[in-house]
Amino acid sequence: MPIATSDKISLKEAISIGIGGMVGGGIFAVLGLAVSIAQGGTPIAFLFAGLLALITSYSYVKLSQKYPDRGGTVKFINQGFGVTIFSGSINNLLWVSYIIMLSLYASAFGSYAPNLFEITQNKTINFHIYASAIIILATAINYYSVAIVGKIESYAVIIKLIILIGFIGIGAYGLIGNPNLSQLAMSNWETPLQLFAAGMVIFVAYEGFELIANAAPDIENPKKNIPRAYYYSVIFVIVLYFIIAIVTVGSLTFDKIATAEDYVLAEAAKPMLGKIGFTIITIAALISTFSAINASLYGGSRVNFEIAEDDELPTHFTSKLWNQPIGLFITAIATLILVNVLDLESISTAGSVGFILIFGIVNLVGFKLAKDTGSNRVIPIIGFILCMVALVILIHQQYLTNLTGVIVSMSIILLCFIAEWMYKTTERNQKN
């Protein structure tokens, strides 16, 4: 992440951390999936997910101001619940959710890359080669130099925003007289419940704002800049996604969107810019997903290290391998397995379930510690209730259409709790 010469993070840099975290590979990976579930109501689905992120950011603002710590979410959960089996399980879920996000980004990379260069004649084999290769390359860069990770991320944020805003400008102009614009009519929307469920499936496209929490100790003028960093970045991304969804649904027929579901943003650039537009957006997707994988590998390994430091994972996880936390290697291997085993919708569902549950817990912490943080208790409890309702609706919708995603999500949560319980029980027995 870009850091000022004074070792303090300016407001602009803090906002770029939030925007960079959200506009990673998420929008490129899940846009087609959102349209398949919400149809003409896709912009509303993105709006629902964004509002949940915005409400949750209030708890993050208050907790980041009161307890600034590079552990971010991990520290907030421990602050609210102490170092217990429950907090340890939720923190482990955060680490696993990072791995799921990495799988999502690698999946997007694997879907977009063959459009530029096909290695074999088989689409599936190409996907697996590219998705695996990008994880291996990003892991090697993380081992080689953490400074390079920061440089890649700072340049990538600028490049992808320029391309996406350009796409919006040209795409919006292309909507004039486009017959597909009628697809946005309310008659083409799914039911409100289905729209909300669609928003929750693609909630992973918003989760990156929580990275600001890890930078909170270094943000200059924290009283003013921490709230601004969260709110400005989340509101900017809500508007960005909302307009991208309008341009995409208004540019292409639903059939075309379904055919190009995994690389729909590149396809949406075709009506106005032809093959050049398709190629430019494909390159933007590759840069975005590559930078997101780089940053998330770094973040995931640090989360793993923080959890082990707080004695919620075995101390082996605080050890180093080739001068980096061992969690980096484990995170990379787990990502390689996930991306080659699960389909995009199951990965997206598991990621969204994980982060909605974690954000619900952070909202609950915000409510519990409202007196200490000087918060309005109503906003965090509304955030908690909304997250729990969102969780139920998401699981119900996916149960009907994607049972694998639900089974994977529930298994991951259960596994996090069982692993933490076993670790704490073993540790207690050894002490006795």
Side-chain angles (χ1 to χ4, degrees), residues 349 393-407:
T349 301
I393 291 171
L394 170 59
I395 291 165
H396 177 257
Q397 189 272 339
Q398 286 292 286
Y399 176 78
L400 300 173
T401 60
N402 177 30
L403 188 58
T404 308
V406 175
I407 292 168

Side-chain angles (χ1 to χ4, degrees), residues 311 313-316 421-432:
D311 196 29
L313 272 177
T315 47
H316 303 302
W421 176 77
M422 284 173 68
Y423 169 60
K424 285 294 183 189
T425 306
T426 310
E427 192 184 41
R428 202 162 44 239
N429 291 342
Q430 283 172 349
K431 281 176 183 172
N432 294 337

Side-chain angles (χ1 to χ4, degrees), residues 206-329:
Y206 283 104
E207 65 75 28
F209 72 84
E210 53 103 18
L211 293 174
I212 296 170
N214 303 80
D218 302 315
I219 294 174
E220 61 187 21
N221 194 357
K223 198 172 173 4
K224 258 186 173 179
N225 288 343
I226 286 176
R228 286 175 177 175
Y230 278 107
Y231 299 142
Y232 290 178
S233 60
V234 173
I235 290 166
F236 175 83
V237 172
I238 290 172
V239 174
L240 185 75
Y241 286 171
F242 184 75
I243 301 170
I244 285 173
I246 288 173
V247 171
T248 304
V249 176
S251 298
L252 300 170
T253 62
F254 288 133
D255 288 345
K256 256 195 181 153
I257 291 170
T259 308
E261 184 177 306
D262 295 343
Y263 52 89
V264 71
L265 209 59
E267 195 67 34
K270 260 187 177 176
M272 274 300 288
L273 295 171
K275 186 68 181 164
I276 292 172
F278 182 89
T279 305
I280 289 169
I281 295 294
T282 300
I283 291 166
L286 298 181
I287 292 168
S288 287
T289 46
F290 175 50
S291 78
I293 290 164
N294 249 325
S296 299
L297 264 173
Y298 175 78
S301 66
R302 290 306 178 274
V303 164
N304 174 270
F305 185 85
E306 290 278 350
I307 297 167
E309 266 202 331
D310 289 338
D311 196 29
E312 293 171 335
L313 272 177
T315 47
H316 303 302
F317 285 100
T318 57
S319 57
K320 298 269 181 100
L321 177 70
W322 303 313
N323 288 326
Q324 291 297 335
I326 188 115
L328 175 60
F329 183 73

Side-chain angles (χ1 to χ4, degrees), residues 8-301:
K8 281 288 180 186
I9 296 174
S10 69
L11 174 62
K12 194 171 76 175
E13 288 164 342
I15 291 169
S16 85
I17 288 170
I19 292 173
M22 286 180 277
V23 191
I27 185 67
F28 296 98
V30 301
L31 181 59
L33 182 62
V35 179
S36 72
I37 301 170
Q39 297 289 290
T42 303
I44 306 303
F46 274 103
L47 205 54
F48 280 146
L51 288 173
L52 187 60
L54 190 58
I55 291 167
T56 302
S57 69
Y58 176 82
S59 294
Y60 268 93
V61 165
K62 294 298 183 181
L63 291 165
S64 297
Q65 286 179 318
K66 180 68 179 174
Y67 311 108
D69 192 288
R70 287 185 184 86
T73 304
V74 172
K75 296 298 179 187
F76 300 158
I77 289 166
N78 287 346
Q79 197 70 43
F81 294 96
V83 181
T84 60
I85 289 173
F86 177 77
S87 59
S89 306
I90 296 298
N91 285 330
N92 286 332
L93 179 62
L94 177 66
W95 175 44
V96 175
S97 296
Y98 263 98
I99 295 168
I100 294 165
M101 289 305 300
L102 278 159
S103 310
L104 186 75
Y105 300 150
S107 176
F109 191 95
S111 298
Y112 275 85
N115 292 320
L116 285 188
F117 183 75
E118 289 185 340
I119 297 170
T120 71
Q121 295 300 305
N122 188 305
K123 200 178 170 185
T124 309
I125 292 172
N126 287 339
F127 167 83
H128 288 294
I129 290 171
Y130 276 116
S132 303
I134 199 63
I135 296 162
I136 293 163
L137 176 62
T139 306
I141 288 170
N142 266 268
Y143 271 114
Y144 177 69
S145 169
V146 168
I148 290 177
V149 175
K151 279 201 178 98
I152 289 170
E153 186 61 16
S154 57
Y155 287 123
V157 169
I158 297 162
I159 294 166
K160 63 193 170 191
L161 282 182
I162 289 169
I163 293 174
L164 284 175
I165 291 165
F167 164 81
I168 285 170
I170 295 162
Y173 179 74
L175 292 181
I176 300 166
N178 192 319
N180 297 323
L181 203 56
S182 62
Q183 291 183 153
L184 290 159
M186 280 185 76
S187 56
N188 289 317
W189 293 13
E190 291 293 342
T191 62
L193 203 63
Q194 184 84 342
L195 292 182
F196 190 76
M200 295 312 106
V201 171
I202 50 111
F203 186 75
V204 285
Y206 283 104
E207 65 75 28
F209 72 84
E210 53 103 18
L211 293 174
I212 296 170
N214 303 80
D218 302 315
I219 294 174
E220 61 187 21
N221 194 357
K223 198 172 173 4
K224 258 186 173 179
N225 288 343
I226 286 176
R228 286 175 177 175
Y230 278 107
Y231 299 142
Y232 290 178
S233 60
V234 173
I235 290 166
F236 175 83
V237 172
I238 290 172
V239 174
L240 185 75
Y241 286 171
F242 184 75
I243 301 170
I244 285 173
I246 288 173
V247 171
T248 304
V249 176
S251 298
L252 300 170
T253 62
F254 288 133
D255 288 345
K256 256 195 181 153
I257 291 170
T259 308
E261 184 177 306
D262 295 343
Y263 52 89
V264 71
L265 209 59
E267 195 67 34
K270 260 187 177 176
M272 274 300 288
L273 295 171
K275 186 68 181 164
I276 292 172
F278 182 89
T279 305
I280 289 169
I281 295 294
T282 300
I283 291 166
L286 298 181
I287 292 168
S288 287
T289 46
F290 175 50
S291 78
I293 290 164
N294 249 325
S296 299
L297 264 173
Y298 175 78
S301 66

